[in-house]
Amino acid sequence: MYKVLMINVDELWLKGKNRPQYFRAIKNHIETVVAAFHPYKFKVKNESQRMIVRSDEPFKEKVFQALQRVPGIHSFSPTRDIELDYELLYPSIKEELTSWGDKLPRTFKVNTKRTLKTFEKNSMEVSREMGHLILKDFDNIKVDVKTPELFVELRILPDKFFISTHKYMGVGGLPVGTNGHLVTLLSGGFDSPVASYMMSKRGCRQTFAFFYAYPFVGEEVKDKIIKLMEVLATYQKETSLYIVPFGNIQKKIAKSCKEDYRTMLFRKYMVDCANILAGRIGAKALLTGDALGQVSSQTIGNIALVDSITSRPVLRPLIGFNKMETIIKSKEIGTHDISIIPHDDACSLFAPKHPVIHPDNKYWLEYCTNNEYAKDLQDAIEKAEKIMFSVRGELIPSKNS
Ligand code: ATP
Ligand code: MG
């Protein structure tokens, strides 16, 4: 039915001289997504700052769902295109409205835009005439020019009419990859998946790291992380997850430090390890799901402590979120039902009874100077299992398996 998609971009128009780069990035992402769900030939073209996708075969709902997750897309409309013959216009509009069935809204407005300025009728005339015909044919529908439930969008192009009545909203923001590359510290809770989504829509490409405390936690944690990745990958273009073996490092820390400092030292060495990974893959910053004051490791003092040891900035988009706000967002983005599954957590396994809130700088520095972890951290990255995910959110089998 719909062989054309009209896509409106979000913040790309703000970008001044860099605009071509942003349009290239979004075009490329749209091409990747459409190719993944539409097994026919198609073309994506930038036409007056709008991306138009055309194919000889109609696009299916799966393509629409996937495009709703492409950062940088504000909204899009599946569109009928017909020959530029005024006699054919109304029959096609009628077909389009009939396809709504019982769901046809009660109020509408026809909006016409004319690229072909020499067309025999002006936009107002076309809107008026089509509006009259609709009123004659469809019962129970009224014109409402101020707040219609349905917009009948018509476009008069040099060689075609475009008709659309459906509008899908995207996630908005900026295309993935136009704002650098991050290492996302992904744990199995509600926060870090939402944090990942927040930075996907700000244009950050992400590689994910999960610090896996095997054998102190079960294998089901890993499955949970993979399930979360299957969702988060659909907001990225193609991405990977590093499952970093961390159990022995945590054990070593737990044995050698004051109990109160365990959680903070786990956090420090995770951040160090994430920085090593970032160095290898060229990522410029780290990303976590921290929210100020949520738990002891996220007090202002402890956040400052982590920031004093990291060689790259740590982005924390949820810093001012209440837990409930994060949970609501997790429902919207599709990670809630996975995050809610209970899992073992090594941090709580080794959790101190009274985690330090005001760390003593002298002890901290002494511990970090006297305990050598550089080789353990390098080894952990070497031994990490790397899993790639496609834009469909599916595992890409590795070449050597
Ligand atoms: P989440 O924050 O995802 O809900 P959580 O509450 O269990 O999980 P916290 O203890 O609040 O995690 O940790 C704060 C942040 O540190 C997480 O959001 C995540 O970015 C990072 N983090 C914690 N544990 C891990 C881990 N095992 N692997 C990777 N990142 C982790
Ligand atoms: Mg948390």
Side-chain angles (χ1 to χ4, degrees):
M1 218 170 17
Y2 303 113
K3 297 178 185 169
V4 175
L5 301 174
M6 255 195 303
I7 303 180
N8 297 312
V9 298
D10 194 28
E11 291 180 25
L12 280 63
W13 52 274
L14 294 172
K15 294 293 154 199
K17 270 202 294 201
N18 296 328
R19 206 182 295 160
Q21 175 206 335
Y22 285 80
F23 273 96
R24 267 199 306 279
I26 199 152
K27 179 168 185 266
N28 192 285
H29 199 162
I30 292 169
E31 282 169 349
T32 310
V33 166
V34 176
F37 291 96
H38 185 75
Y40 308 101
K41 262 172 83 172
F42 68 90
K43 262 214 142 51
V44 183
K45 243 175 107 186
N46 178 354
E47 294 179 15
S48 332
Q49 316 297 341
R50 197 174 270 116
M51 307 305 289
I52 308 290
V53 193
R54 289 188 173 81
S55 175
D56 291 337
E57 294 292 327
F59 295 107
K60 300 244 169 71
E61 185 66 32
K62 276 188 298 189
V63 177
F64 308 155
Q65 282 168 10
L67 285 173
Q68 285 190 283
R69 294 187 170 194
V70 173
I73 291 183
H74 171 269
S75 57
F76 62 91
S77 298
T79 300
R80 286 171 193 258
D81 65 325
I82 56 163
E83 227 178 284
L84 194 69
D85 175 347
Y86 199 57
E87 295 294 307
L88 301 179
L89 181 58
Y90 182 67
S92 237
I93 295 176
K94 186 172 174 183
E95 212 178 290
E96 170 70 14
L97 293 179
T98 308
S99 74
W100 278 79
D102 296 346
K103 299 209 174 76
L104 187 67
R106 294 296 162 89
T107 58
F108 78 102
K109 176 187 179 181
V110 182
N111 252 341
T112 308
K113 290 204 181 97
R114 204 168 56 148
T115 315
L116 178 67
K117 297 292 178 203
T118 54
F119 187 68
E120 59 203 68
K121 290 177 190 284
N122 69 31
S123 304
M124 286 292 282
E125 285 171 324
V126 174
S127 294
R128 208 170 38 236
E129 290 178 16
M130 294 303 123
H132 279 305
L133 292 169
I134 293 170
L135 286 171
K136 258 179 35 195
D137 265 337
F138 292 85
D139 299 333
N140 293 330
I141 192 164
K142 283 193 310 206
V143 175
D144 179 347
V145 288
K146 282 209 185 108
T147 51
E149 291 164 66
L150 181 77
F151 281 97
V152 178
E153 300 279 358
L154 306 179
R155 254 163 241 274
I156 305 168
L157 303 178
D159 58 339
K160 294 264 183 204
F161 287 117
F162 274 0
I163 306 166
S164 34
T165 62
H166 291 275
K167 187 171 180 178
Y168 290 76
M169 296 310 289
V171 298
L174 295 165
V176 167
T178 58
N179 254 337
H181 186 179
L182 312 176
V183 169
T184 301
L185 283 79
L186 182 65
S187 52
F190 286 103
D191 305 320
S192 44
V194 173
S196 164
Y197 161 82
M198 300 289 282
M199 299 320 286
S200 288
K201 71 183 171 59
R202 296 317 299 155
C204 298
R205 177 182 158 210
Q206 296 169 41
T207 297
F208 295 78
F210 168 57
F211 296 98
Y212 186 28
Y214 189 79
F216 307 103
V217 295
E219 294 232 10
E220 66 286 350
V221 191
K222 187 169 135 181
D223 296 340
K224 185 176 179 182
I225 295 291
I226 291 174
K227 284 208 176 75
L228 285 171
M229 282 301 301
E230 287 168 350
V231 178
L232 298 175
T234 61
Y235 295 96
Q236 290 277 309
K237 223 172 76 185
E238 186 180 288
T239 185
S240 39
L241 164 71
Y242 286 79
I243 300 177
V244 184
F246 217 66
N248 289 332
I249 294 175
Q250 275 176 287
K251 191 172 153 197
K252 190 164 153 183
I253 297 169
K255 269 180 149 176
S256 58
C257 74
K258 282 191 192 168
E259 188 184 316
D260 301 1
Y261 281 75
R262 278 181 191 167
T263 313
M264 279 315 293
L265 285 163
F266 294 161
R267 193 54 43 84
K268 172 201 156 34
Y269 289 109
M270 279 182 198
V271 166
D272 284 350
C273 204
N275 271 306
I276 296 173
L277 177 62
R280 291 196 186 193
I281 62 174
K284 293 272 186 296
L286 312 182
L287 168 60
T288 72
D290 295 328
L292 190 61
Q294 189 189 81
V295 287
S296 65
S297 58
Q298 294 164 37
T299 58
I300 199 78
N302 283 333
I303 283 179
L305 193 61
V306 167
D307 281 2
S308 72
I309 57 95
T310 179
S311 50
R312 284 175 186 73
V314 180
L315 305 187
R316 300 176 174 95
L318 306 189
I319 198 72
F321 268 43
N322 300 338
K323 194 74 188 184
M324 199 37 83
E325 290 171 301
T326 304
I327 290 179
I328 290 169
K329 203 80 209 160
S330 75
K331 286 184 182 160
E332 278 170 35
I333 67 169
T335 53
H336 174 274
D337 292 356
I338 309 166
S339 292
I340 205 166
I341 303 168
H343 70 270
D344 293 340
D345 178 354
C347 288
S348 44
L349 189 73
F350 294 117
K353 278 190 210 75
H354 305 288
V356 64
I357 292 174
H358 303 290
D360 169 12
N361 232 354
K362 191 161 158 268
Y363 174 72
W364 175 269
L365 285 176
E366 241 172 55
Y367 182 88
C368 297
T369 322
N370 296 337
N371 291 273
E372 187 45 64
Y373 287 91
K375 182 160 185 325
D376 299 284
L377 301 179
Q378 292 283 357
D379 284 353
I381 291 292
E382 282 312 326
K383 291 195 190 117
E385 181 185 353
K386 181 182 175 188
I387 304 178
M388 309 249 290
F389 293 83
S390 73
V391 74
R392 290 174 65 104
E394 291 167 353
L395 272 70
I396 303 175
S398 76
K399 292 198 179 75
N400 39 15
S401 70

